[in-house]
Amino acid sequence: MSERSERGGALSEEELQELVAASDSGARNPAGAVGLFLAVVAVVWSVFQVLLASPVANYVLPGDIINNSRQIHLAFAIFLAFCAYPAFRSSPRRHIPVQDWFFAVAGAFIAMYGFFFYEKIVQSGGLADDTDKWFALAGLILLFEAARRALGPAMAIIATIFLIYVFFGSGAWVPEVIRWKGASLQKAMSHMWITSEGVFGIALGVSTKFVFLFVLFGALLEKAGAGNYFIKMAFGALGHLRGGPAKAAVVGSAATGLISGSSIANVVTTGTFTIPLMKRVGFTSEQAGSVEVASSVNGQIMPPVMGAAAFLMVEYVGISYVEVITHAFLPAMISYIALVYIVHLEAVKRNMPTLGDRVVSLGRTVGGMFAFFAGFAALCYLVQYPVAWVVALVPEGAGWILAGLVFVAYIALLALAATVADLEPDDPNAEDVRLPVVGEIYKSGLYFLLPIIVLVYFLMIEQKSPGLSAFWATALLFAILVTQRPLKALFRGGREIGQAARAGVVDLVAGLIAGARNMIGIGLATATAGVIVGTVTLTGIGQVMADLVEFVSGGNLILMLVFVGILSLILGMGLPTTANYIVVSSLMAGVVVELGAQSGLIVPLIAVHLFVFYFGIMADVTPPVGLASFAAAAVSGGDAIRTGFTAFFYSLRTVALPFVFIFNTDLLLIDVTWLQGIIVFMVSTVAILVFTAGTMGWFLTRNRIYESVALIFIAFLLFRPDYLMDRLVPPFAEVPPAQFEQALAEAEPGDRIRVVVSGPDFDTLEPKDMSLVIEVGGEEGAQARLDATGLMPMEEAGEVRLDEPMFGTPFSEQLQSFDFYGDDPVVISQVRARQPQPPQELMYIPALLLLAGVGYLQYARSQRQEVPA
């Protein structure tokens, strides 16, 4: 009987690694000289990217190479894609066919076309000539084929459709609403391949500058043994609780999600250990797989890495990296807290047994974990003070002294680790499962926290660029990988130091190879998505999409958000998260902001980008594609479709949170003080737990239907206290349009006034309305404030008419869609000014009282159920 059938349909370890390789790093692994050559190419790519991010890049690398680093990055990705990914399932796995060698070399050459012919392209002003356009077209075809192999057919198909639209979008057979003037092959190829508007645009630049270093950092940290250490620590802390293996899976996946950009690799890495143990305590195969999927996919929303999206948001939104991860932190944290609670409720509902014979207080466990994370955060923050002291004392040699202090800390922690045995992966199928004791194993991997502290310090305290921060953390990992084995051998008595040193070098090389192979798909995804972004900028299809979505949603913002979420899910079924995020945000982010403004709601751009990103990652869960669900089913032996639907149910909070933070930006910590931030964290944590209890059908005991409805309503009130308050005491008072200037004069600086402008549309002459949100400045007097807005109202025939605002004034672009010169005037039809309102936090009181009422009912019922008949 095969191993697979013995384990109830689960794949063997070797088959699982093949699954990860096929989806993340390439299913082909040739041996011999060819395999060695590909390993060398991967190592060279990793070393090149490390040098590119280093402070000495300008001294070590020629300027031409630095300026054309995107081309070199893509050349490596295309070359390795054709070598590592077979064309078809029937293609050979152990050797590379001649045609793939040809495609690899040709693809790499054309990717570097801009590097080889840089002078010629500069002289032509970036416009392709007859030769350039054919090379560019061949480059696109090879790029699409490489993307098809590495990412599946959807990415290449979608990019091809957009490219066809560029060429044939002017045809008479194209619906007039999306028809455009068209482009010649020469112009299109210039835009897509020769300039930085298409393939070599922002997305590929982010992949080159930032993403590679973080992916490499995660691969090296995993190779050093940090992944196993995090999982062991999670099991040691939580494994003995009811449903402990599932709780440990959540925490362990959160930790590995910090350093891994792949939900599939995360599922297999942690799932091979956690899923069998979850099944042992009573979870079904589908439930065990679903818990692992939900926690692994959530790893992508957890700062600081967030797949590659965090770095793309820096470029697209135009805010700093620190701001991006600050805004993303709270929703990710409460999402994981809710997932732990989901697991707890499943265990309580089924009265699951515990693993092992240790009895530890839940309060002490939670308190210990909180103390660890709080201590780690405090350490990352407080380290700036001794650093500042050293810099002030020795300004010239501070860098060397600080490096020496880090080395001393590393040696001390490594000496501590040498006092205990190295951690070995446990067998989850063993008859006697002995859970690790945190007090015994924590010493073995404390030094793994050093690179993370260095990374967080440079990112958050020094606020260096993500690339430079990752460089210093990666440089420390280089030293750790090479030295940890021989130094441990030295501390343990000095035996077999030479063999340990060789093993350390092997680990480093393996980490460099893994980092490069993991980057193939991301590099191709960002390049191919550049074609879609380039189509949007070349054709103006984005505005057409905006009009179409506005028409479909009827101008309703919630319907529009549902539409965007569904679009993200559909595209994400065939695209990796990063590519999905690029495509949907390029098409839809501006539309949501614009429609929100028309509805009188100021939607920050970062909120929309996070909204798109959250729905993009849900595609890894959602059937029928849901790659992470299929990977989990392969580990558990369960049904993949059922696993996907259960994982989606467990991830309902990830679906609900984006809608919440669009309307309540406090959740993203936008414009909140420290005290407000703490209150928001506490209240939103309670809200997400109450929402979880409502959707899971269990609070203190099994819910009645009305109790589940009440709990979900309570969660809504806690998340959106403004919703009920605004209906009890409207935040804005109606002002006659004739008193618009007076309202401006009486408003306090920083207040917002809503103005509805009505008039004929410039294109259709149909009447339409548009909401403007005017933020009152500090100018003195009504006229000065009116001049600052650029609006020119004039009272005539009993109405307040508007002239067209001067070009460059705040609302000139928004109002240009009105016809100011027709027979029907453009008028101010409504003015609403802010009025005093009680604090919205008062709504917490009835919500918490209602929660107490539900709790009392359930407690009384649970007590009656416990009394014997």
Side-chain angles (χ1 to χ4, degrees), residues 1 57 313 420 473 619 632 863:
M1 185 182 289
M313 287 178 197
V420 297
Q863 292 297 106

Side-chain angles (χ1 to χ4, degrees), residues 129-149:
D129 61 21
D130 284 339
T131 304
D132 297 338
K133 70 183 182 184
W134 294 114
F135 272 100
L137 182 60
L140 284 176
I141 293 170
L142 288 170
L143 172 63
F144 290 176
E145 169 58 14
R148 182 194 69 80
R149 294 186 183 199

Side-chain angles (χ1 to χ4, degrees), residues 846-858:
L848 294 175
L849 288 174
L850 183 56
L851 178 62
V854 174
Y856 174 78
L857 289 175
Q858 292 212 352

